[in-house]
């Protein structure tokens, strides 16, 4: 468990440093800013790289919503939830601290301006309401878990899970950066909110509650799909997909 928790710490650290770091340091850089698309890609790349690097050790969750969603889908035992979530949150906070140390080296840096924090209402990048932001976070987290369950199913093509999951996270960010600045990950939201230090802390409840609920629903949906598919296969309706196409 110690090694698995360290892997979750490192993976979440890299996700927050890479994704939020691209938003804080590079998104609006004069003339050469990477913009929303670049930030979305950065988040996806963090998951791809660390899932390949340490996913075989811990499963590569890097996100409390993924952990509870995999539990809801029957993939992990309940005893793993707390140590994984603690490791992820600590990793997110540590990454935010490193990002703060880097960003504060520039004259005029002000973390209260946002610091890549997630928000709704007046603090939504596009001014979206609380209800709109809740719907976005819930639906996108649920689909994220459906993708994760599906691509890590033993019947899915082997070796492509990190790539598919990273691309899914990139797509999620392309959709929702203007809405909430994209969370779908309570650890990511917590780390930067603590350093933003004002409104982001007050709105953090939503970026825990809704992604966790979305993750659970996504896990349950795939669990039902997998059970139905197994039942049809056992009944001889049609064969299951091969375990690998390699």
């Amino acid at each position: 468990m110690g090694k698995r928790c360290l892997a979750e710490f490192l993976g979440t650290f890299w996700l927050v440093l890479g994704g939020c770091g691209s938003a804080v340091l590079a998104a609006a850089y004069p003339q050469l800013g990477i913009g929303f698309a670049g930030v979305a890609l950065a988040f996806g790349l963090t998951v791809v790289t660390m899932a390949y690097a340490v996913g075989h050790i811990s499963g590569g969750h890097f996100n409390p919503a993924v952990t509870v969603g995999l539990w809801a889908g029957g993939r992990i035992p309940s005893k793993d939830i707390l140590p994984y979530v603690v490791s992820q949150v600590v990793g997110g906070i540590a990454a935010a601290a490193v990002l703060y140390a880097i960003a504060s080296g520039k004259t005029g840096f002000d973390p209260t301006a946002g610091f890549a924090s997630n928000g709704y209402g007046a603090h939504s990048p596009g001014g979206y309401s609380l209800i709109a932001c809740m719907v976005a976070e819930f639906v996108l987290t649920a689909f994220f878990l459906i993708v994760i369950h599906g691509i890590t199913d033993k019947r899915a093509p082997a070796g492509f899970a990190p790539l598919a999951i990273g691309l899914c996270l990139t797509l999620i960010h392309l959709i929702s950066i203007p809405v909430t600045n994209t969370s779908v990950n309570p650890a990511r939201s917590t780390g930067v909110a603590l350093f933003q230090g004002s409104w982001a802390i007050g709105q953090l409840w939503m970026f825990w509650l809704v992604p966790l609920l979305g993750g659970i629903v996504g896990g349950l949906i795939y669990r039902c799909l997998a059970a139905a598919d197994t039942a049809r296969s056992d009944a001889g309706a049609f064969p299951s997909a091969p375990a690998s196409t390699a």
Side-chain angles (χ1 to χ4, degrees), residues 7-188:
E8 286 298 305
F9 170 89
L10 293 173
T12 311
F13 180 98
W14 190 237
L15 185 151
V16 173
L17 183 62
C20 295
S22 68
V24 172
L25 304 175
Y29 193 81
Q31 299 180 352
L32 296 175
I34 61 175
F36 284 175
V39 173
L41 182 60
F43 272 100
L45 289 173
T46 62
V47 171
V48 171
T49 51
M50 288 307 291
Y52 276 120
V54 300
H56 57 283
I57 298 173
S58 67
H61 300 187
F62 316 145
N63 180 342
V66 171
T67 296
V68 299
L70 288 172
W71 166 77
R75 296 288 185 86
I76 65 167
S78 58
K79 64 181 178 63
D80 287 357
I81 295 176
L82 182 59
Y84 268 49
V85 170
V86 170
S87 301
Q88 293 154 1
V89 172
V90 173
I93 294 171
V98 171
L99 178 57
Y100 181 89
I102 296 169
S104 61
K106 181 178 180 180
T107 302
F109 169 67
D110 179 13
T112 64
F115 200 55
S117 296
N118 302 115
Y120 55 82
H123 302 293
S124 158
Y128 288 84
S129 69
L130 171 60
I131 296 301
C133 292
M134 293 178 76
V135 170
E137 289 289 325
F138 180 85
V139 172
L140 292 174
T141 308
F143 270 87
F144 192 33
L145 265 295
I146 291 170
V147 170
I148 290 171
H149 276 86
I151 197 62
T152 57
D153 193 297
K154 63 183 179 181
R155 296 164 294 179
F160 292 100
L163 182 59
I165 294 168
L167 288 173
C168 182
L169 189 61
T170 299
L171 174 59
I172 286 170
H173 279 78
L174 289 173
I175 295 167
S176 61
I177 287 178
V179 183
T180 62
N181 218 17
T182 311
S183 172
V184 302
N185 185 338
R188 168 260 190 270

Side-chain angles (χ1 to χ4, degrees), residues 155 229-230 232-234 238-243:
R155 296 164 294 179
D229 185 49
T230 300
R232 286 194 299 270
S233 179
D234 290 344
F238 54 83
S240 297

